[in-house]
Amino acid sequence: MIGKIVGLGSYLPSKVLTNKDLEEMVETSDEWIVERTGIRERHISDPYTESVSQMAVNAAKEAIRDAAIDPEEIDLIILASTTSNMVIPSCSCVVQRETGAKNAMCFDLNSACTGFLTAYNTAQSFIEAGHVKTALVLGSECTSNYVDWTDRGTCILFGDAAGAAVLRAQESDRKNMFVLHADGRRSDCLYAENMKQRKDPEELIPKTFFQMDGKEVFKFAVTAVPQIIKELCTKFSIDKDEVDLFVLHQANRRIIEAVSKRLDIPLEKFPMNIDRMGNTSSASVPSLLTELKKAGRLKEGTKIIASGFGAGLTWGASYIEF
Ligand code: ACO
């Protein structure tokens, strides 16, 4: 058994923050941001109407419509988020309530920007083991809640979004093919702490915003992503030249260009929406897949390698066939 993606959906907040807007907030320029990151604009959620759970519900409804299934058929909901608005219950339970998926088991997970791939492969493992036939997998992020809007090194990078995929069990000769890694020793490269953990506000507050060593994360990404894609191809005898699309976490255009170069694969095979969305963490891969489907670029049999990387440090790659 393997889970086939039969439905995709996404949600983007309506408010757009352009590089020009950021020029009014911090000392930066549209030219610098575009040259160093490829980002031109990002979407910023409304805290009252576009929380992580609300955006996830919207993306989930679109994916369920796209899959043309009854929500009661869903056996499992896994939602990946680093910026969840809920402590309890999990956002996945909110998605269950709002979509009418009353037969699903639900849980959230946090694996930063590798979150969607981690959730996707967890769902695949439930399907392979025969516990689940239909799964809903989501990535939803309000990164804007954790961004220090006075720090030009980070505030230009992030955006908000949600994406969702419905997986359906199908008989198959092949197993789900994936590789996931983590290195907690390097957690200080990129972190944010929870608001209520400490008493001393002076010490606490700066740490509740994303703290990032941009250069270290950049070096890690351009090394780890080509390595893990090669590892995936070797482990499962995949010919990288036969892969149609490489759907990478959208963190920085230069990272994607470097991966394409290091793997010697044409950049045209690396679709991007970073220019319009910025880094939406676990929402980036499912949102991009949704865009590709709407653009008619995902056909029966289209071969994809998806890869995510981020805080933890964590990184992963999956082979997905449509
Ligand atoms: N506007 C103008 N100048 C800036 C800005 C800005 N927004 N930010 C930094 N600068 C300046 C710096 O102060 C520095 O000036 P100096 O030379 O006078 O000291 C100069 O620009 C160069 O700064 P660098 O940090 O060296 O710039 P770099 O080319 O490394 O780009 C960036 C920075 C875009 C953050 C890059 O390092 C990067 O993308 N890193 C990866 C980050 C990432 O992907 N993080 C998310 C991971 S996924 C997750 O889990 C959330």
Side-chain angles (χ1 to χ4, degrees):
M1 281 291 177
I2 195 162
K4 188 160 168 124
I5 297 181
V6 293
L8 285 163
S10 64
Y11 180 81
L12 270 180
S14 52
K15 183 180 167 190
V16 173
L17 187 74
T18 64
N19 291 350
K20 281 271 172 247
D21 297 328
L22 281 164
E23 284 178 4
E24 308 290 315
M25 296 160 66
V26 286
E27 204 179 324
T28 191
S29 67
D30 174 51
E31 197 188 2
W32 191 96
I33 301 171
V34 172
E35 192 201 311
R36 300 292 178 114
T37 70
I39 302 167
R40 293 178 188 277
E41 57 186 39
R42 68 288 289 144
H43 292 249
I44 304 295
S45 55
D46 177 307
Y48 294 103
T49 58
E50 292 169 323
S51 64
V52 162
S53 49
Q54 287 160 326
M55 293 199 301
V57 168
N58 293 332
K61 286 182 176 171
E62 190 178 75
I64 292 168
R65 270 198 308 275
D66 187 43
I69 57 161
D70 181 337
E72 293 188 11
E73 292 172 63
I74 298 170
D75 308 304
L76 168 68
I77 302 176
I78 311 177
L79 185 145
S81 185
T82 309
T83 54
S84 175
N85 57 307
M86 301 299 296
V87 176
I88 46 172
S90 67
C91 283
S92 49
C93 284
V94 178
V95 171
Q96 178 193 34
R97 184 187 70 209
E98 297 301 318
T99 56
K102 66 175 192 185
N103 298 313
M105 59 176 127
C106 299
F107 59 92
D108 290 1
L109 61 79
N110 176 352
S111 188
C113 303
T114 318
F116 179 79
L117 281 183
T118 309
Y120 170 84
N121 289 308
T122 305
Q124 287 284 12
S125 302
F126 274 77
I127 289 170
E128 263 179 11
H131 298 304
V132 157
K133 282 204 171 73
T134 306
L136 175 64
V137 183
L138 303 108
S140 184
E141 302 284 0
C142 288
T143 62
S144 57
N145 288 341
Y146 289 84
V147 163
D148 176 355
W149 292 103
T150 65
D151 174 14
R152 68 178 182 171
T154 52
C155 75
I156 55 144
L157 294 172
F158 294 98
D160 301 338
V166 175
L167 308 188
R168 200 96 201 229
Q170 280 193 356
E171 292 292 346
S172 173
D173 295 339
R174 68 173 179 87
K175 285 184 124 339
N176 177 44
M177 302 172 185
F178 74 99
V179 188
L180 289 170
H181 290 304
D183 185 356
R185 292 168 304 179
R186 299 175 70 194
S187 54
D188 56 350
C189 285
L190 179 52
Y191 69 91
E193 289 190 3
N194 185 295
M195 193 70 155
K196 287 193 176 154
Q197 279 179 2
R198 299 207 181 157
K199 272 191 175 164
D200 179 359
E202 294 300 318
E203 187 195 0
L204 166 73
I205 286 168
K207 290 184 176 179
T208 62
F209 296 116
F210 287 149
Q211 304 290 318
M212 184 179 73
D213 182 337
K215 275 198 185 318
E216 273 308 303
V217 177
F218 191 93
K219 273 192 276 175
F220 151 70
V222 298
T223 314
V225 177
Q227 266 173 8
I228 202 166
I229 291 176
K230 284 183 191 161
E231 184 185 343
L232 179 82
C233 290
T234 306
K235 188 170 177 187
F236 297 105
S237 306
I238 300 164
D239 179 351
K240 67 178 172 53
D241 295 320
E242 287 192 0
V243 173
D244 300 303
L245 295 169
F246 292 79
V247 177
L248 267 48
H249 167 48
Q250 306 283 296
N252 185 320
R253 186 183 170 89
R254 286 191 297 141
I255 292 175
I256 298 171
E257 286 169 348
V259 173
S260 146
K261 210 167 167 188
R262 286 183 187 206
L263 289 173
D264 194 21
I265 292 167
L267 195 58
E268 299 77 65
K269 286 194 175 186
F270 292 74
M272 287 185 234
N273 61 11
I274 177 114
D275 56 328
R276 287 169 283 121
M277 293 190 45
N279 178 345
T280 60
S281 190
S282 69
S284 71
V285 169
S287 305
L288 185 52
L289 287 172
T290 306
E291 269 189 31
L292 291 167
K293 185 165 187 189
K294 286 179 181 169
R297 294 182 68 187
L298 303 183
K299 307 247 159 54
E300 185 73 29
T302 299
K303 298 180 175 71
I304 291 179
I305 286 182
S307 180
F309 55 91
L313 296 171
T314 56
W315 62 112
S318 271
Y319 176 79
I320 302 172
E321 209 169 286
F322 272 81

Short mmCIF file of all heavy atoms in Angstrom, two decimals, residues 27-29 32-33 36-37 112-113 152-153 156-158 190 212 214-215 217-218 249 251-252 254-255 279 281 309-311, ligand 1:
data_model
loop_
_atom_site.label_atom_id
_atom_site.label_comp_id
_atom_site.label_asym_id
_atom_site.label_seq_id
_atom_site.Cartn_x
_atom_site.Cartn_y
_atom_site.Cartn_z
N GLU A 27 15.89 49.48 7.64
CA GLU A 27 16.83 49.99 6.64
C GLU A 27 17.15 48.87 5.65
O GLU A 27 17.98 47.99 5.92
CB GLU A 27 18.09 50.48 7.33
CG GLU A 27 18.81 51.49 6.48
CD GLU A 27 20.07 51.99 7.17
OE1 GLU A 27 20.06 52.14 8.41
OE2 GLU A 27 21.05 52.20 6.43
N THR A 28 16.42 48.87 4.56
CA THR A 28 16.63 47.84 3.54
C THR A 28 16.19 48.41 2.20
O THR A 28 15.76 49.56 2.11
CB THR A 28 15.84 46.55 3.89
OG1 THR A 28 16.27 45.50 3.03
CG2 THR A 28 14.34 46.73 3.75
N SER A 29 16.31 47.61 1.15
CA SER A 29 15.84 48.07 -0.16
C SER A 29 15.29 46.88 -0.94
O SER A 29 15.72 45.74 -0.74
CB SER A 29 16.99 48.70 -0.95
OG SER A 29 17.94 47.71 -1.27
N TRP A 32 18.10 45.02 -2.63
CA TRP A 32 18.88 44.11 -1.78
C TRP A 32 18.10 42.82 -1.55
O TRP A 32 18.63 41.72 -1.69
CB TRP A 32 19.20 44.77 -0.43
CG TRP A 32 20.23 44.01 0.38
CD1 TRP A 32 21.57 44.24 0.41
CD2 TRP A 32 20.00 42.87 1.23
NE1 TRP A 32 22.19 43.33 1.24
CE2 TRP A 32 21.24 42.47 1.76
CE3 TRP A 32 18.87 42.15 1.61
CZ2 TRP A 32 21.39 41.40 2.64
CZ3 TRP A 32 19.01 41.07 2.48
CH2 TRP A 32 20.26 40.71 2.99
N ILE A 33 16.82 42.96 -1.21
CA ILE A 33 16.03 41.77 -0.87
C ILE A 33 15.90 40.85 -2.09
O ILE A 33 16.08 39.64 -1.99
CB ILE A 33 14.63 42.15 -0.31
CG1 ILE A 33 14.77 43.03 0.94
CG2 ILE A 33 13.82 40.90 0.02
CD1 ILE A 33 13.47 43.64 1.43
N ARG A 36 19.40 39.19 -2.87
CA ARG A 36 19.88 38.21 -1.89
C ARG A 36 18.92 37.05 -1.64
O ARG A 36 19.32 36.02 -1.12
CB ARG A 36 20.17 38.87 -0.54
CG ARG A 36 21.19 39.97 -0.56
CD ARG A 36 22.57 39.40 -0.85
NE ARG A 36 23.55 40.47 -0.91
CZ ARG A 36 24.55 40.62 -0.04
NH1 ARG A 36 24.70 39.75 0.94
NH2 ARG A 36 25.40 41.60 -0.16
N THR A 37 17.62 37.26 -1.94
CA THR A 37 16.65 36.21 -1.56
C THR A 37 15.70 35.80 -2.69
O THR A 37 15.11 34.73 -2.63
CB THR A 37 15.76 36.67 -0.39
OG1 THR A 37 14.88 37.70 -0.85
CG2 THR A 37 16.57 37.19 0.78
N ALA A 112 9.68 22.32 12.11
CA ALA A 112 10.03 23.58 11.42
C ALA A 112 9.71 23.47 9.93
O ALA A 112 8.66 22.96 9.55
CB ALA A 112 11.48 23.96 11.70
N CYS A 113 10.64 23.90 9.09
CA CYS A 113 10.34 23.95 7.65
C CYS A 113 10.33 22.56 7.01
O CYS A 113 9.94 22.41 5.86
CB CYS A 113 11.34 24.86 6.94
SG CYS A 113 11.33 26.50 7.62
N ARG A 152 16.17 43.53 10.36
CA ARG A 152 16.15 43.41 8.88
C ARG A 152 16.74 42.10 8.38
O ARG A 152 16.51 41.70 7.24
CB ARG A 152 16.88 44.59 8.24
CG ARG A 152 18.38 44.60 8.48
CD ARG A 152 19.04 45.76 7.78
NE ARG A 152 20.49 45.73 7.98
CZ ARG A 152 21.33 46.52 7.36
NH1 ARG A 152 20.89 47.43 6.51
NH2 ARG A 152 22.62 46.45 7.58
N GLY A 153 17.52 41.43 9.24
CA GLY A 153 18.12 40.16 8.85
C GLY A 153 17.09 39.03 8.74
O GLY A 153 17.33 38.03 8.06
N ILE A 156 12.53 40.31 6.53
CA ILE A 156 12.31 40.36 5.08
C ILE A 156 12.02 38.97 4.49
O ILE A 156 11.59 38.85 3.35
CB ILE A 156 13.56 40.93 4.37
CG1 ILE A 156 14.80 40.11 4.79
CG2 ILE A 156 13.75 42.40 4.72
CD1 ILE A 156 15.79 39.93 3.70
N LEU A 157 12.30 37.93 5.28
CA LEU A 157 12.29 36.57 4.71
C LEU A 157 10.94 35.86 4.76
O LEU A 157 10.61 35.08 3.88
CB LEU A 157 13.29 35.67 5.46
CG LEU A 157 14.77 36.01 5.34
CD1 LEU A 157 15.58 35.13 6.30
CD2 LEU A 157 15.25 35.80 3.91
N PHE A 158 10.18 36.11 5.86
CA PHE A 158 9.09 35.19 6.17
C PHE A 158 7.72 35.67 5.69
O PHE A 158 7.48 36.87 5.53
CB PHE A 158 9.07 34.92 7.68
CG PHE A 158 10.29 34.17 8.14
CD1 PHE A 158 11.36 34.84 8.70
CD2 PHE A 158 10.37 32.81 7.98
CE1 PHE A 158 12.51 34.17 9.11
CE2 PHE A 158 11.51 32.11 8.37
CZ PHE A 158 12.58 32.79 8.94
N LEU A 190 18.95 28.55 14.51
CA LEU A 190 17.63 29.12 14.22
C LEU A 190 16.67 28.64 15.30
O LEU A 190 16.40 27.45 15.40
CB LEU A 190 17.18 28.64 12.83
CG LEU A 190 15.83 29.07 12.29
CD1 LEU A 190 15.65 30.57 12.35
CD2 LEU A 190 15.67 28.59 10.85
N MET A 212 18.22 33.97 14.22
CA MET A 212 18.78 33.18 13.12
C MET A 212 20.19 33.60 12.76
O MET A 212 20.48 34.79 12.65
CB MET A 212 17.88 33.34 11.87
CG MET A 212 18.33 32.49 10.70
SD MET A 212 17.26 32.68 9.27
CE MET A 212 17.75 34.33 8.73
N GLY A 214 21.87 33.59 9.74
CA GLY A 214 21.51 33.43 8.33
C GLY A 214 22.58 32.73 7.52
O GLY A 214 22.30 31.85 6.72
N LYS A 215 23.85 33.11 7.76
CA LYS A 215 24.95 32.53 6.97
C LYS A 215 25.08 31.04 7.23
O LYS A 215 25.29 30.25 6.31
CB LYS A 215 26.27 33.23 7.32
CG LYS A 215 26.49 34.50 6.53
CD LYS A 215 27.96 34.89 6.59
CE LYS A 215 28.21 36.23 5.93
NZ LYS A 215 27.51 36.45 4.67
N VAL A 217 22.71 28.99 8.30
CA VAL A 217 21.56 28.27 7.74
C VAL A 217 21.74 28.14 6.22
O VAL A 217 21.45 27.10 5.64
CB VAL A 217 20.22 28.97 8.09
CG1 VAL A 217 19.05 28.26 7.45
CG2 VAL A 217 20.02 29.04 9.60
N PHE A 218 22.23 29.19 5.60
CA PHE A 218 22.45 29.18 4.15
C PHE A 218 23.46 28.08 3.79
O PHE A 218 23.21 27.26 2.89
CB PHE A 218 22.96 30.55 3.70
CG PHE A 218 22.97 30.73 2.22
CD1 PHE A 218 21.89 31.31 1.58
CD2 PHE A 218 24.05 30.32 1.45
CE1 PHE A 218 21.88 31.47 0.20
CE2 PHE A 218 24.06 30.47 0.07
CZ PHE A 218 22.97 31.06 -0.55
N HIS A 249 11.60 23.33 -0.39
CA HIS A 249 11.15 24.37 0.55
C HIS A 249 11.65 25.72 0.03
O HIS A 249 12.82 25.86 -0.35
CB HIS A 249 11.72 24.07 1.94
CG HIS A 249 11.58 25.21 2.89
ND1 HIS A 249 10.40 25.90 3.05
CD2 HIS A 249 12.50 25.81 3.70
CE1 HIS A 249 10.58 26.87 3.94
NE2 HIS A 249 11.84 26.84 4.33
N ALA A 251 12.94 28.93 0.69
CA ALA A 251 13.56 29.76 1.73
C ALA A 251 14.34 30.92 1.12
O ALA A 251 14.38 32.02 1.68
CB ALA A 251 14.49 28.94 2.60
N ASN A 252 14.96 30.66 -0.02
CA ASN A 252 15.80 31.67 -0.66
C ASN A 252 16.08 31.19 -2.09
O ASN A 252 16.48 30.04 -2.29
CB ASN A 252 17.13 31.80 0.13
CG ASN A 252 18.01 32.91 -0.38
OD1 ASN A 252 18.12 33.11 -1.60
ND2 ASN A 252 18.64 33.62 0.52
N ARG A 254 18.46 31.87 -4.00
CA ARG A 254 19.87 31.50 -4.20
C ARG A 254 20.16 30.08 -3.70
O ARG A 254 21.01 29.38 -4.24
CB ARG A 254 20.79 32.50 -3.50
CG ARG A 254 20.88 33.84 -4.23
CD ARG A 254 21.99 34.69 -3.65
NE ARG A 254 21.72 35.02 -2.27
CZ ARG A 254 22.63 35.07 -1.29
NH1 ARG A 254 23.89 34.78 -1.55
NH2 ARG A 254 22.29 35.39 -0.07
N ILE A 255 19.43 29.66 -2.64
CA ILE A 255 19.61 28.28 -2.15
C ILE A 255 19.15 27.31 -3.23
O ILE A 255 19.83 26.33 -3.56
CB ILE A 255 18.83 28.05 -0.82
CG1 ILE A 255 19.44 28.86 0.32
CG2 ILE A 255 18.79 26.55 -0.47
CD1 ILE A 255 18.69 28.80 1.65
N ASN A 279 9.33 32.93 2.75
CA ASN A 279 9.50 31.62 3.40
C ASN A 279 8.30 31.36 4.30
O ASN A 279 8.14 32.02 5.32
CB ASN A 279 10.81 31.66 4.20
CG ASN A 279 11.07 30.37 4.97
OD1 ASN A 279 10.19 29.54 5.13
ND2 ASN A 279 12.30 30.22 5.45
N SER A 281 7.69 28.40 5.73
CA SER A 281 8.03 27.24 6.55
C SER A 281 7.28 25.98 6.09
O SER A 281 7.32 25.66 4.90
CB SER A 281 7.76 27.58 8.03
OG SER A 281 8.29 26.59 8.86
N PHE A 309 13.95 21.75 4.62
CA PHE A 309 15.08 21.92 5.54
C PHE A 309 14.78 23.11 6.43
O PHE A 309 14.08 24.04 6.03
CB PHE A 309 16.38 22.17 4.76
CG PHE A 309 16.26 23.34 3.82
CD1 PHE A 309 16.61 24.62 4.23
CD2 PHE A 309 15.77 23.17 2.53
CE1 PHE A 309 16.48 25.71 3.37
CE2 PHE A 309 15.62 24.26 1.66
CZ PHE A 309 15.98 25.52 2.09
N GLY A 310 15.30 23.06 7.65
CA GLY A 310 15.07 24.21 8.52
C GLY A 310 15.53 23.96 9.94
O GLY A 310 16.43 23.13 10.19
N ALA A 311 14.89 24.69 10.86
CA ALA A 311 15.32 24.68 12.26
C ALA A 311 15.33 23.26 12.80
O ALA A 311 14.58 22.40 12.36
CB ALA A 311 14.41 25.57 13.09
N1 ACO B 1 18.69 44.88 3.86
C1 ACO B 1 19.88 45.45 3.59
N2 ACO B 1 21.02 45.00 4.10
C2 ACO B 1 20.98 43.92 4.91
C3 ACO B 1 19.77 43.27 5.20
C4 ACO B 1 18.59 43.79 4.66
N3 ACO B 1 17.38 43.25 4.88
N4 ACO B 1 20.02 42.21 6.01
C5 ACO B 1 21.35 42.19 6.21
N5 ACO B 1 21.92 43.23 5.54
C6 ACO B 1 23.33 43.59 5.46
C7 ACO B 1 24.13 43.01 6.60
O1 ACO B 1 24.06 43.84 7.73
C8 ACO B 1 25.49 42.95 5.99
O2 ACO B 1 26.09 44.23 6.04
P1 ACO B 1 27.64 44.42 6.42
O3 ACO B 1 28.38 43.70 5.31
O4 ACO B 1 27.80 45.90 6.41
O5 ACO B 1 27.80 43.77 7.73
C9 ACO B 1 25.26 42.63 4.52
O6 ACO B 1 23.88 43.02 4.29
C10 ACO B 1 25.40 41.17 4.20
O7 ACO B 1 24.68 40.42 5.17
P2 ACO B 1 24.70 38.88 5.17
O8 ACO B 1 23.97 38.37 6.38
O9 ACO B 1 26.10 38.40 4.94
O10 ACO B 1 23.83 38.58 3.85
P3 ACO B 1 23.62 37.22 3.12
O11 ACO B 1 24.05 37.34 1.71
O12 ACO B 1 24.11 36.05 3.91
O13 ACO B 1 22.02 37.15 3.10
C11 ACO B 1 20.22 36.04 4.21
C12 ACO B 1 21.31 37.09 4.33
C13 ACO B 1 19.27 36.45 3.10
C14 ACO B 1 19.47 35.97 5.53
C15 ACO B 1 20.86 34.66 3.86
O14 ACO B 1 21.94 34.41 4.73
C16 ACO B 1 19.89 33.53 3.94
O15 ACO B 1 18.94 33.45 3.18
N6 ACO B 1 20.13 32.56 4.85
C17 ACO B 1 19.24 31.41 4.96
C18 ACO B 1 18.11 31.79 5.85
C19 ACO B 1 16.99 30.79 5.81
O16 ACO B 1 16.73 30.19 4.81
N7 ACO B 1 16.32 30.66 6.97
C20 ACO B 1 15.16 29.88 7.09
C21 ACO B 1 15.42 28.42 7.20
S1 ACO B 1 13.99 27.53 7.20
C22 ACO B 1 13.24 27.50 8.74
O17 ACO B 1 13.34 26.56 9.49
C23 ACO B 1 12.38 28.68 9.15
#
